[in-house]
C-alpha cells in the first residue's frame, strides 16, 4: 500500500508535532502525516523537566540565547532572530497554554504538567486533520525526481517534501550517510559525574555555588553544584558536561576536577580570610559553623579533610592547617570515574553536520525538499529549556518557508 502526502514528518516528537501544526495552520490545504516509531507519542516531552516540561528559557535576546548552545551557537543566531523565546510564549498562549517563569529563568506550563503540552499538540493535530501514525519504523528512504518514498515496517509512503525530526536515531543517520550526508558521531552531552570521595560521602542533597574546572583542560563552569549519592550533579556539572562532551568522551570519563567552593576567591585570598577568622573567632570551634555562604555540613567535611579535628578551635590552627583548608576551599581535587545520565533525559552532541544545512530554511544543502528539525542535527544545549527552544525555532522556520 502506498499512502501519498504533501509532507511527511518522520520522527514526530516535539519538533515534529510543532512543525506539523505550524505547517497546516499556515497552509490548510496541505496533507501532512507524522510517522512515530513507538506506540506512544511525545514520550520525551512527558519526562522532560521532571514531568513538568521545561518549554523554554526566559532569555529573549537572540545573541544572548545562542551562548547556551555548545554546538550551534553561530548557526542559530539567524534562526533565533526569526523565532525566539518570546515567540514561543506567544505561540503556546494562542494555543491555550500559559507559561510561567521560575527564579532560574526556566519556563514551564502553569499546570506544572508535561501532559498540558502533550494535550495541546494532540488536540491541534486532530483539529487540523494531521495524521499521526504510530508503530512506523523506517526501513528505507528513496529520492525520486519530484518525490520522496519512505518504507516502514508497515507500509510505503510518498511525499513531495520530507522532514526529519528523529533526534538521536542511529538508523536514520545511517540512511542519511548513504544519501551523502555527513554525520558527526554522537556522544552524550548532558550527564553527571560519578565520584567516590570521603569528603562528599554523607552529603547527599547538599548544594552550593561553585566554580568547577577539569584539570589539564580549559574546561570550566560555575553555578549550583549538587552532591548526590553517586557523585556530583547540578547546573555547574551539567554545563561542564555539555561544553566538554567530546573532550570528556575522549578521556573515557576518567579525569580529575578542581572545585572552588568560594567561586572566584583565590587560594591566597582564602588563606588571608581564614587568618582573619582565626583572630575574630579565636575561642569558637572551627567545624561547628560555616563562615562562608554554603551549608554547615559541607564546611565541616572540608575542615576535617584539612586535618583539623572536630574539636579544634580557631586559635589552635597552625599555618599548615590554614593552608590546607584554603586549598580544600578553593581547589579541592576530585577524581571522576564515569558518568550517569541526567535524570531520565538523554541529550547527545552529534548529528547531521551543520555545514550541510541551510539555516534560513533548515533544508538540506545536498537534497532539495529534505528538511531537519530538532536534535537530529549537531546542535545541543545545556539544561534549562534550550533544547526545546531549538526544536520550536527549527520547526517554525521550516513551516514558514514551505508554501
Amino acid at each position: 500500500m502506498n499512502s501519498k502526502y504533501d509532507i511527511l514528518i518522520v520522527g514526530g516528537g516535539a519538533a515534529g508535532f510543532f512543525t506539523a501544526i505550524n505547517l497546516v495552520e499556515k497552509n490548510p490545504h496541505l496533507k501532512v502525516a507524522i510517522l512515530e516509531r513507538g506506540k506512544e507519542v511525545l514520550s520525551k516531552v512527558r519526562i522532560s523537566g521532571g514531568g513538568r516540561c521545561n518549554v523554554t528559557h526566559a532569555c529573549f535576546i537572540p545573541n544572548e540565547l545562542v551562548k547556551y548552545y555548545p554546538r550551534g551557537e553561530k548557526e542559530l543566531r539567524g534562526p533565533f532572530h526569526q523565532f525566539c523565546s518570546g515567540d514561543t510564549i506567544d505561540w503556546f498562549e494562542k494555543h491555550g497554554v500559559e507559561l510561567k517563569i521560575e527564579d532560574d529563568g526556566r519556563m514551564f506550563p502553569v499546570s506544572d504538567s508535561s501532559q498540558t503540552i502533550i494535550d495541546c499538540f494532540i488536540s491541534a493535530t486532530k483539529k487540523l486533520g494531521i495524521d499521526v501514525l504510530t508503530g512506523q519504523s523506517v526501513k528505507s528512504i528513496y529520492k525520486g525526481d519530484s518525490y520522496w518514498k519512505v518504507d516502514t515496517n508497515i507500509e510505503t509512503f510518498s511525499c513531495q517534501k520530507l522532514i526529519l525530526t528523529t533526534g538521536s536515531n542511529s538508523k536514520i543517520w545511517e540512511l542519511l550517510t548513504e544519501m551523502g550526508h555527513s554525520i558527526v558521531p554522537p556522544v552524550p552531552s548532558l550527564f553527571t559525574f560519578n565520584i567516590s570521595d570521603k569528603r562528599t560521602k554523607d552529603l547527599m542533597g547538599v548544594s552550593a555555588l561553585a566554580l568547577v574546572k577539569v584539570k589539564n583542560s580549559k574546561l570550566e563552569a560555575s553555578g549550583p553544584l549538587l552532591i548526590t549519592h553517586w557523585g556530583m550533579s547540578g547546573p555547574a556539572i551539567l554545563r561542564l558536561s555539555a561544553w566538554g562532551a567530546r573532550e570528556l568522551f575522549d578521556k573515557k570519563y576518567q579525569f580529575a576536577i578542581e572545585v572552588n567552593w568560594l567561586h572566584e576567591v583565590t587560594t591566597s585570598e582564602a588563606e588571608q580570610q581564614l587568618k582573619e577568622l582565626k583572630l575574630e573567632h579565636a575561642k569558637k570551634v572551627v567545624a561547628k559553623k560555616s563562615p562562608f555562604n554554603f551549608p554547615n555540613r559541607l564546611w565541616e567535611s572540608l575542615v576535617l579533610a584539612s586535618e583539623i579535628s572536630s574539636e579544634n578551635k580557631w586559635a589552635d590552627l597552625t599555618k599548615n592547617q590554614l593552608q590546607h583548608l584554603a586549598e580544600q576551599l578553593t581547589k579541592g581535587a576530585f577524581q571522576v570515574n564515569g558518568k550517569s545520565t541526567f535524570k531520565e533525559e538523554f541529550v547527545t552532541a552529534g548529528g547531521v553536520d551543520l555545514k550541510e544545512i541551510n539555516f534560513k530554511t533548515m533544508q538540506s544543502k545536498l537534497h532539495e525538499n529534505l528538511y531537519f528539525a530538532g536534535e537530529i542535527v549537531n546542535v545541543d544545549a545545556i539544561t534549562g529549556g534550550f533544547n526545546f527552544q531549538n526544536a520550536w525555532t527549527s520547526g517554525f522556520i521550516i513551516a514558514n518557508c514551505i508554501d
Side-chain angles (χ1 to χ4, degrees), residues 191-197 230-232 248 251-257 333-340:
F191 50 86
T192 60
F193 295 173
N194 292 350
I195 296 170
S196 179
D197 192 289
W230 67 84
M232 292 182 181
L248 301 181
K251 292 177 183 288
K252 296 182 171 60
Y253 308 108
Q254 304 289 321
F255 55 93
I257 58 171
F334 294 84
Q335 181 61 38
V336 177
N337 293 303
K339 62 172 180 57
S340 294

Side-chain angles (χ1 to χ4, degrees), residues 263-293:
H263 216 249
E264 301 289 347
V265 176
T266 65
T267 305
S268 58
E269 288 169 345
E271 195 174 342
Q272 184 55 42
Q273 288 180 29
L274 292 172
K275 286 175 182 175
E276 291 168 10
L277 285 165
K278 178 179 176 177
L279 293 172
E280 191 180 339
H281 301 297
K283 295 181 179 179
K284 292 183 179 178
V285 175
V286 181
K288 198 166 186 182
K289 190 173 187 334
S290 170
F292 298 105
N293 192 26

Side-chain angles (χ1 to χ4, degrees), residues 56-57 62 64-76 80 85 242-243 378-382 385-391 393:
T56 187
H57 200 93
E64 290 298 313
L65 185 59
V66 293
K67 292 176 183 176
Y68 294 96
Y69 295 80
R71 283 147 293 274
E73 178 178 348
K74 182 181 71 174
E75 291 80 4
L76 288 174
F80 283 157
S85 309
W243 260 272
N378 187 28
V379 168
D380 63 283
I382 64 171
F386 303 105
N387 284 301
F388 270 137
Q389 185 56 51
N390 170 48
T393 296

Side-chain angles (χ1 to χ4, degrees), residues 348-363:
T348 57
V352 180
D353 195 314
L354 304 185
K355 297 189 188 80
E356 299 173 357
I357 301 163
N358 178 350
F359 276 82
K360 290 180 179 176
T361 60
M362 300 308 295
Q363 185 172 207

